[in-house]
């Protein structure tokens, strides 16, 4: 049974790397649910309760496409992603909705839009996600470098909460993520894609320092894997 939560409350749980569970407006939305083999994830796939939506940003193994397929088949819920990735999931027996980069569409009563992400992928283009629910807009950037289109996302939607990669090497680092936050006009950031492997050197503390230097006001969530925070 998938849990229900009141519309006022948004609860965010980080499972390490780019994996999050967002509970808001009675929905459970999992982003990049890499659980099996994720060194920072404190739970097993069996322990994960399932979600209404599994938003998978791209096909790389550390973003949970295979886990999302298993979860969709065993515990219900729909995978959302770029068209080709959704087809891949459907061919493997999961329920999936494929779209492309553009405006909002409805999945299970949740408004979702796919955004640009500057990265690579083996199946279709990599993307980020905008999720509009419970009167708030949330942004999960996926794996990406800094790109100017973030200022368009900021102008159009000013997502209250942004989940941004800060590790560097494969994605933005804290310097770039701080400028991203300025463009996005976000008030809260959930740092991700850091600390999993030695090359991912960015930290939330370094991000805070860069935010201070830029003179913008953003709350940096200090998340511990598996411990939910209310936002
Ligand atoms: Zn990647």
């Amino acid at each position: 049974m998938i849990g229900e939560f009141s519309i006022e409350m948004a609860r965010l749980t980080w499972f390490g790397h780019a994996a999050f569970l967002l509970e808001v407006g009675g929905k459970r939305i999992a982003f990049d649910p890499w659980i099996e083999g994720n060194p920072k994830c404190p739970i097993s796939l069996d322990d994960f309760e399932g979600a209404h939506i599994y938003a998978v940003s791209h096909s790389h193994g550390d973003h949970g496409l295979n886990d999302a397929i298993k979860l969709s088949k065993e515990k219900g819920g729909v995978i959302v992603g770029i068209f080709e990735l959704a087809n891949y999931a459907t061919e493997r027996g999961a329920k999936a909705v494929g779209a492309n980069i553009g405006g909002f569409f409805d999945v299970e009563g949740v408004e979702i839009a796919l955004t640009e992400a500057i990265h690579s992928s083996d199946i279709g283009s990599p993307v980020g996600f905008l999720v509009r629910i419970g009167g708030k807009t949330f942004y999960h950037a996926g794996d990406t470098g800094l790109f100017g289109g973030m200022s368009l996302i900021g102008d159009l939607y000013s997502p209250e909460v942004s989940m941004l990669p800060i590790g560097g090497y494969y994605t933005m680092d804290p310097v770039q993520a701080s400028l991203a936050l300025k463009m996005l006009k976000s008030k809260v950031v959930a740092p991700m894609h850091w600390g999993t492997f030695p090359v991912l050197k960015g930290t939330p503390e370094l991000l805070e320092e860069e935010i201070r230097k830029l003179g913008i006001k953003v709350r940096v969530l200090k998340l511990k894997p598996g411990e939910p925070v209310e936002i």
Side-chain angles (χ1 to χ4, degrees):
M1 182 63 199
I2 289 170
E4 294 285 311
F5 292 89
S6 71
I7 194 116
E8 295 82 15
M9 191 176 93
R11 189 195 280 169
L12 188 67
T13 310
W14 186 46
F15 289 104
H17 210 56
F20 289 91
L21 177 69
L22 173 66
E23 296 164 284
V24 60
K27 300 290 179 186
R28 289 165 60 84
I29 301 145
F31 295 94
D32 286 354
W34 181 37
I35 295 171
E36 251 174 25
N38 177 349
K40 299 283 177 184
C41 183
I43 61 164
S44 71
L45 210 54
D46 285 342
D47 296 333
F48 190 78
E49 210 186 324
H52 296 93
I53 290 166
Y54 308 98
V56 179
S57 66
H58 63 297
S59 69
H60 290 159
D62 54 335
H63 290 262
L65 175 57
N66 287 336
D67 286 351
I69 290 170
K70 280 186 205 160
L71 286 165
S72 168
K73 285 163 75 170
E74 289 166 16
K75 306 191 181 186
V78 184
I79 295 172
V80 180
I82 196 85
F83 180 73
E84 292 82 359
L85 182 141
N87 285 349
Y88 176 93
T90 306
E91 283 162 12
R92 278 150 189 83
K95 202 172 161 198
V97 172
N100 220 309
I101 294 161
F104 278 90
F105 53 93
D106 181 280
V107 182
E108 306 273 312
V110 181
E111 285 183 278
I112 297 179
L114 308 188
T115 71
E116 169 187 15
I118 307 297
H119 195 64
S120 62
S121 177
D122 301 311
I123 308 172
S125 300
V127 297
F129 295 95
L130 287 161
V131 170
R132 215 155 48 183
I133 184 169
K136 279 200 174 96
T137 303
F138 302 85
Y139 174 49
H140 184 289
D143 273 4
T144 188
L146 184 64
F147 58 90
M150 285 182 180
S151 65
L152 295 176
I153 296 172
D155 287 349
L156 283 167
Y157 310 114
S158 339
E160 282 88 350
V161 182
S162 286
M163 292 160 256
L164 298 185
I166 64 162
Y169 199 87
Y170 298 113
T171 70
M172 295 192 288
D173 61 8
V175 174
Q176 296 182 350
S178 65
L179 187 58
L181 287 163
K182 188 177 179 184
M183 293 196 284
L184 292 163
K185 301 174 186 151
S186 288
K187 300 280 182 294
V188 179
V189 62
M192 65 177 184
H193 217 278
W194 67 275
T196 329
F197 315 113
V199 292
L200 308 184
K201 294 190 194 311
T203 63
E205 291 71 26
L206 289 171
L207 177 62
E208 269 180 336
E209 210 175 298
E210 295 303 328
I211 286 170
R212 237 190 336 266
K213 282 190 212 163
L214 267 188
I216 54 171
K217 279 205 165 50
V218 182
R219 180 178 157 215
V220 178
L221 297 176
K222 301 286 177 61
L223 299 163
K224 292 201 176 69
E227 292 181 16
V229 293
E230 289 192 15
I231 45 176

mmCIF file of all heavy atoms in Angstrom, residues 58 60 63 119 143, ligand 1:
data_model
loop_
_atom_site.group_PDB
_atom_site.id
_atom_site.type_symbol
_atom_site.label_atom_id
_atom_site.label_comp_id
_atom_site.label_asym_id
_atom_site.label_seq_id
_atom_site.Cartn_x
_atom_site.Cartn_y
_atom_site.Cartn_z
ATOM 1 N N HIS A 58 18.154 9.778 -16.578
ATOM 2 C CA HIS A 58 18.891 9.221 -17.714
ATOM 3 C C HIS A 58 19.296 7.793 -17.386
ATOM 4 O O HIS A 58 19.034 7.302 -16.288
ATOM 5 C CB HIS A 58 20.093 10.102 -18.087
ATOM 6 C CG HIS A 58 21.143 10.226 -17.027
ATOM 7 N ND1 HIS A 58 20.922 10.805 -15.797
ATOM 8 C CD2 HIS A 58 22.448 9.825 -17.015
ATOM 9 C CE1 HIS A 58 22.039 10.780 -15.091
ATOM 10 N NE2 HIS A 58 22.968 10.187 -15.789
ATOM 11 N N HIS A 60 22.217 6.145 -17.029
ATOM 12 C CA HIS A 60 23.433 5.704 -16.324
ATOM 13 C C HIS A 60 23.080 4.907 -15.072
ATOM 14 O O HIS A 60 22.105 5.223 -14.378
ATOM 15 C CB HIS A 60 24.326 6.909 -15.978
ATOM 16 C CG HIS A 60 24.956 7.524 -17.201
ATOM 17 N ND1 HIS A 60 25.437 8.815 -17.223
ATOM 18 C CD2 HIS A 60 25.161 7.012 -18.437
ATOM 19 C CE1 HIS A 60 25.932 9.067 -18.440
ATOM 20 N NE2 HIS A 60 25.765 7.993 -19.186
ATOM 21 N N HIS A 63 21.644 5.969 -11.570
ATOM 22 C CA HIS A 63 20.419 6.774 -11.493
ATOM 23 C C HIS A 63 19.147 5.938 -11.411
ATOM 24 O O HIS A 63 18.044 6.474 -11.433
ATOM 25 C CB HIS A 63 20.383 7.816 -12.622
ATOM 26 C CG HIS A 63 21.431 8.865 -12.359
ATOM 27 N ND1 HIS A 63 21.147 10.083 -11.770
ATOM 28 C CD2 HIS A 63 22.775 8.808 -12.493
ATOM 29 C CE1 HIS A 63 22.280 10.739 -11.581
ATOM 30 N NE2 HIS A 63 23.279 9.996 -12.020
ATOM 31 N N HIS A 119 24.544 16.626 -20.320
ATOM 32 C CA HIS A 119 25.164 15.397 -19.833
ATOM 33 C C HIS A 119 25.169 14.395 -20.981
ATOM 34 O O HIS A 119 24.959 14.788 -22.138
ATOM 35 C CB HIS A 119 24.319 14.895 -18.635
ATOM 36 C CG HIS A 119 24.989 13.867 -17.791
ATOM 37 N ND1 HIS A 119 26.128 14.108 -17.070
ATOM 38 C CD2 HIS A 119 24.659 12.569 -17.519
ATOM 39 C CE1 HIS A 119 26.469 13.008 -16.405
ATOM 40 N NE2 HIS A 119 25.596 12.053 -16.677
ATOM 41 N N ASP A 143 21.652 14.757 -13.789
ATOM 42 C CA ASP A 143 23.088 15.021 -13.905
ATOM 43 C C ASP A 143 23.236 16.123 -14.940
ATOM 44 O O ASP A 143 22.794 15.968 -16.082
ATOM 45 C CB ASP A 143 23.824 13.775 -14.425
ATOM 46 C CG ASP A 143 24.227 12.826 -13.320
ATOM 47 O OD1 ASP A 143 23.881 13.085 -12.156
ATOM 48 O OD2 ASP A 143 24.896 11.820 -13.625
HETATM 49 ZN ZN1 LIG B 1 25.147 10.291 -15.489
#
